[in-house]
Amino acid sequence: MSAILSADDLNDFISPGVACIKPVETLPKQTPQEFNAYEVTNEDKVTKENTSKAQISLTDCLACSGCVTSAEAVLVSLQSHAEVLNALDSQPAIDLAEIPGNDEANTVDGKLFVASVSPQVRASLAATYGTSDLEAGSMIDQLLGGPQGLASGGKHGNSFTWIVDTNAMREASLHLGAEEVIESLSGSSNQGAPSEEGASTTKPKKPILSSACPGWICYAEKTHPHVLPHLSRLKSPQALTGTLLKTVLSQRLHIRPDQIWHVSVMPCFDKKLEASREELTDIYWRPPSPSDSSTPVRDVDCVITARELLMLADTRGISFPNLPRQPITPNIPFPDPTLSTFLFPIQYRSRSHAQTPEAGTSGGYLHHILRTQLALNPSSTLATSRGRNADVVEYSITIPSDPSSPVFKAARYYGFRNIQNLVRKLKPAKKSRLPGGRGARPTGTAGGMDYAYVEVMACPGGCTNGGGQIKVDDIPLKPDIPMTQKQWQGKVDEAYYSMSESSDEDNGQDKDGGIRKGSSFRHNTEPETLEAQNERITAALEHWSTSTGIELRKLVTTSYRKVESNVGKVGGAENERVVELAGKIGGGW
């Protein structure tokens, strides 16, 4: 079990299954001894035996459908800050200055270390240390890539060459998600056979369910496979960032994908499970080669959380709050200038361009789709109604000519208790076996399930409340007035919503008032329109596909599968599946 995660940390716990392939408790070892039926033994005479802790690996978890929790990483024993340090010390970093500019494959040894950081992590650290979002991001950059950070120690003095904000690929995911919904509403479908209903080559059924939350995906694959045809086929921002970095850097620098080591800093432990999925490896996007028999390479090699980021600094003896709060300037520019502008934008954004409470704390997928539908239906209005609790909200768009018939309906479901109600409504009713009995009702049309899109997240309150975020009990400097976890969560949300304000203070300028080296600064006093945003993202995605020679669908979509448990079956099926999965995901940790 992770050193910083316990069952007490889970804010929405379902329960472990009774048929787990690994025990949660270890029974005392029984030793043969002489037994006297007439002997009376006192309790103080019984010797206490030391029992060993049960160790459950990530592969064990992926191979079993015996348990589901809101943070399934309670079963993960590795993929932590120690793995990051081991990777940095494993071999020297590649000297990019020595790589020739020709198109020939390079034979250089070593690793290229890159990182991506979630905005929810920055918000958690900003609230913890009382800084702005911009300063918190700079502190993270200084730790991962600055001279006073990880580069100041270790066997080789390695650090991360490029540190990417996942907000860039989040915008791409929002744009692609809106297009996916429009295609669904147009009636165009490309459904395959029942066994292929979760494949990336098929389009999702209505209502489309968001797929960026790995805890929700694990739950659906293991316990409710009937919802797989409804899942969005798009990769999450973490997965999109990993795919982009591995494809672009490997081709531009002419190095192997396994020479690129990518760590992602996320608010959620379940992101570790997402990074270990077989579908998120290079075999799904690299050109086929008959002679290629290498092990699949993950798009994201390791995931750590906000708390593990602080442990990373403590392990190296680095005081995180004392790190410089100024941005670092990359010594080497990103090898693709067009994508560099897209990945590292430093532009002036007005407050109206910030993440608003209406968009939520999980990336704003539903908010962007509603914004797109309102633009497609001029003079339409949006109505909001709260469900049973604050984590269930329904939205409907109507037009003045027919206000009683919404042209678009959507909803937001956060937390497993609410998710269970959602999947029950989507479950096809069993046909009656009685003579003359009525057949099953159509799925998704009764009980208020006429949604076109549903944003689903496992954590109540959204991603800023992820299991890996800094909790109120973890705050280094305790406030004078004790805070509850709910009050602390409100403070983190406030830091998340105020992201653009800290960006306004910077404006992409250095201390001397000039434009920072390597920044793609655009001084726009007006917020970017939806049309301009779509054009910018479309151009970046098309350039990504064209420059790498890979079909865009392979780069941005993924697939899902029904996970069947082998627990209790006769034979060695469990062990064979574990070994198979371990090989596919790169050793199974």
Side-chain angles (χ1 to χ4, degrees):
M1 183 178 292
S2 175
I4 63 174
L5 179 66
S6 65
D8 295 335
D9 295 324
L10 306 182
N11 51 23
D12 195 5
F13 182 73
I14 291 185
S15 65
V18 295
C20 183
I21 61 176
K22 293 285 186 178
V24 294
E25 293 182 355
T26 306
L27 296 176
K29 183 180 180 180
Q30 300 296 328
T31 56
Q33 57 182 354
E34 295 181 0
F35 176 72
N36 186 354
Y38 300 98
E39 181 181 1
V40 178
T41 305
N42 296 330
E43 290 183 1
D44 55 356
K45 292 184 179 180
V46 179
T47 58
K48 185 178 179 180
E49 298 191 22
N50 295 325
T51 59
S52 58
K53 294 181 180 180
Q55 293 292 328
I56 304 175
S57 70
L58 182 59
T59 300
D60 294 328
C61 181
L62 292 173
C64 170
S65 61
C67 57
V68 178
T69 69
S70 63
E72 200 171 17
V74 72
L75 302 177
V76 178
S77 60
L78 281 178
Q79 196 174 161
S80 64
H81 69 287
E83 182 70 16
V84 177
L85 296 177
N86 290 337
L88 290 172
D89 292 341
S90 62
Q91 53 186 304
I94 295 177
D95 188 355
L96 298 181
E98 297 182 357
I99 294 181
N102 53 38
D103 294 336
E104 297 181 1
N106 290 308
T107 58
V108 295
D109 296 327
K111 292 275 189 179
L112 175 63
F113 298 98
V114 292
S116 57
V117 182
S118 158
Q120 288 86 357
V121 171
R122 294 199 308 271
S124 183
L125 292 171
T128 299
Y129 295 106
T131 69
S132 66
D133 170 83
L134 178 68
E135 290 179 330
S138 297
M139 293 162 68
I140 297 173
D141 292 351
Q142 292 284 354
L143 173 65
L144 298 178
Q148 300 181 36
L150 299 176
S152 61
K155 184 177 180 181
H156 303 288
N158 291 333
S159 63
F160 292 87
T161 304
W162 290 293
I163 303 162
V164 180
D165 183 355
T166 59
N167 257 332
M169 297 311 291
R170 177 188 65 84
E171 288 187 342
S173 183
L174 297 182
H175 169 71
L176 293 168
E179 287 189 339
E180 188 178 49
V181 172
I182 292 174
E183 290 182 7
S184 174
L185 293 176
S186 66
S188 60
S189 63
N190 182 28
Q191 297 296 334
S195 61
E196 300 176 346
E197 288 184 338
S200 61
T201 54
T202 62
K203 292 183 174 62
K205 297 179 180 179
K206 289 179 55 181
I208 297 178
L209 308 179
S210 64
S211 59
C213 175
W216 148 241
I217 296 302
C218 270
Y219 177 64
E221 289 183 326
K222 292 183 176 183
T223 61
H224 297 287
H226 65 274
V227 305
L228 298 186
H230 296 275
L231 293 178
S232 169
R233 301 300 187 262
L234 299 176
K235 294 180 181 179
S236 70
Q238 170 183 283
L240 283 173
T241 304
T243 304
L244 185 143
L245 292 175
K246 290 288 178 93
T247 53
V248 174
L249 292 178
S250 63
Q251 293 200 15
R252 287 286 183 173
L253 301 177
H254 308 290
I255 58 177
R256 303 187 311 273
D258 62 349
Q259 289 184 278
I260 304 169
W261 201 86
H262 174 209
V263 65
S264 179
V265 189
M266 290 286 138
C268 178
F269 285 100
D270 289 335
K271 284 293 182 180
K272 300 172 186 281
L273 297 174
E274 176 185 291
S276 301
R277 290 179 66 89
E278 176 191 350
E279 294 84 358
L280 300 179
T281 59
D282 66 336
I283 61 174
Y284 284 85
W285 50 259
R286 69 186 179 194
S289 175
S291 60
D292 192 358
S293 59
S294 59
T295 303
V297 178
R298 294 185 182 129
D299 293 337
V300 180
D301 296 279
C302 184
V303 177
I304 61 174
T305 63
R307 281 190 279 175
E308 289 174 314
L309 185 75
L310 298 182
M311 294 179 66
L312 182 67
D314 291 339
T315 305
R316 280 284 174 89
I318 301 170
S319 175
F320 186 83
N322 292 329
L323 287 170
R325 302 185 180 185
Q326 292 79 33
I328 60 175
T329 301
N331 296 324
I332 300 177
F334 197 76
D336 190 307
T338 301
L339 292 178
S340 178
T341 303
F342 180 70
L343 290 176
F344 306 101
I346 302 176
Q347 77 180 80
Y348 186 92
R349 296 171 184 257
S350 68
R351 181 168 183 157
S352 62
H353 210 73
Q355 287 290 312
T356 62
E358 291 77 15
T361 60
S362 301
Y365 295 90
L366 176 58
H367 179 74
H368 184 80
I369 289 173
L370 291 172
R371 184 183 171 202
T372 302
Q373 291 298 319
L374 287 171
L376 293 175
N377 296 276
S379 71
S380 59
T381 58
L382 175 65
T384 304
S385 63
R386 174 174 165 174
R388 284 181 153 184
N389 50 65
D391 286 322
V392 178
V393 185
E394 296 183 348
Y395 303 86
S396 59
I397 296 177
T398 58
I399 54 178
S401 60
D402 190 6
S404 61
S405 300
V407 296
F408 186 83
K409 291 191 68 176
R412 183 176 74 189
Y413 278 73
Y414 286 2
F416 272 120
R417 281 186 289 269
N418 298 319
I419 290 175
Q420 289 180 81
N421 294 329
L422 173 67
V423 296
R424 287 194 196 104
K425 294 177 182 179
L426 287 173
K427 189 173 184 179
K430 294 182 179 180
K431 294 183 179 180
S432 175
R433 296 183 180 181
L434 297 177
R438 295 182 179 180
R441 63 171 174 81
T443 300
T445 57
M449 283 306 297
D450 51 346
Y451 305 131
Y453 184 85
V454 183
E455 182 178 280
V456 186
M457 298 291 165
C459 291
C463 293
T464 55
N465 191 34
Q469 295 284 75
I470 300 170
K471 305 301 181 182
V472 66
D473 295 332
D474 304 322
I475 304 175
L477 300 176
K478 302 297 181 183
D480 297 333
I481 302 176
M483 300 175 63
T484 64
Q485 177 59 35
K486 185 175 182 180
Q487 292 172 328
W488 171 251
Q489 186 59 39
K491 189 176 180 180
V492 177
D493 291 346
E494 182 181 355
Y496 179 76
Y497 294 135
S498 63
M499 281 191 297
S500 71
E501 297 179 11
S502 60
S503 297
D504 292 349
E505 299 171 3
D506 176 69
N507 292 349
Q509 298 180 357
D510 57 22
K511 293 182 179 180
D512 299 327
I515 305 302
R516 278 202 303 267
K517 179 183 177 181
S519 68
S520 53
F521 170 66
R522 293 173 292 171
H523 189 87
N524 296 329
T525 57
E526 297 295 330
E528 187 179 31
T529 63
L530 180 63
E531 182 180 2
Q533 183 185 35
N534 290 336
E535 291 177 355
R536 173 175 59 86
I537 295 173
T538 300
L541 293 176
E542 290 178 352
H543 174 79
W544 178 20
S545 175
T546 303
S547 62
T548 57
I550 304 173
E551 183 184 358
L552 185 61
R553 178 187 60 81
K554 292 184 178 181
L555 295 172
V556 302
T557 61
T558 185
S559 58
Y560 312 98
R561 64 188 185 278
K562 178 181 178 181
V563 178
E564 297 182 356
S565 175
N566 291 320
V567 175
K569 294 184 179 180
V570 180
E574 298 104 340
N575 294 335
E576 293 175 2
R577 179 166 174 76
V578 168
V579 173
E580 179 185 0
L581 282 172
K584 288 181 177 180
I585 65 176
W589 303 99

